């Protein structure tokens, strides 16, 4: 299965989270989304959102420059 890449580097909070949510909505259930972000708030915001959603945080990596998240799209979520 291919992985869709979302480049949210350089975007300030709350844009990395908002762009992640938008990207997940465009994917089919089970699809993978890899997100790269540089905003420190995304290290907290994206995992918190995923914990309250049907999506799965498969992997999380970070270094001194960026945060990376690999997310598996869950079933439909209600807004």
């Amino acid at each position: 299965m291919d992985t869709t890449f979302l480049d949210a580097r350089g975007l300030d909070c709350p844009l990395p989270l908002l762009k992640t949510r938008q990207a997940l909505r465009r994917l089919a259930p089970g699809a993978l989304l890899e997100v790269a972000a540089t905003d420190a708030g995304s290290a907290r915001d994206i995992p918190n959102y995923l914990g309250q959603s049907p999506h799965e945080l498969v992997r999380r990596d970070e270094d001194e420059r960026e945060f990376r998240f690999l997310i598996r799209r869950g079933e439909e979520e209600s807004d």
Side-chain angles (χ1 to χ4, degrees), residues 20 22-23 62 74:
T20 298
Q22 291 172 344
E62 66 180 80

Side-chain angles (χ1 to χ4, degrees), residues 15-54:
L15 288 176
L17 175 59
L18 294 175
K19 298 281 186 186
T20 298
R21 289 185 69 188
Q22 291 172 344
L24 285 166
R25 286 187 181 126
R26 291 190 296 268
L27 298 176
L32 293 172
L33 174 68
E34 182 177 2
V35 180
T38 51
D39 182 72
S42 64
R44 176 194 63 241
D45 295 344
I46 292 174
N48 284 347
Y49 163 68
L50 295 172
Q52 300 172 8
S53 76

Side-chain angles (χ1 to χ4, degrees), residues 60-76:
R60 174 185 174 166
D61 298 306
E62 66 180 80
D63 61 27
E64 63 278 352
R65 293 169 301 178
E66 70 182 34
F67 306 93
R68 289 213 175 220
F69 308 93
L70 183 62
I71 304 164
R72 183 176 315 282
R73 166 74 154 88
E75 296 300 318
E76 295 298 318

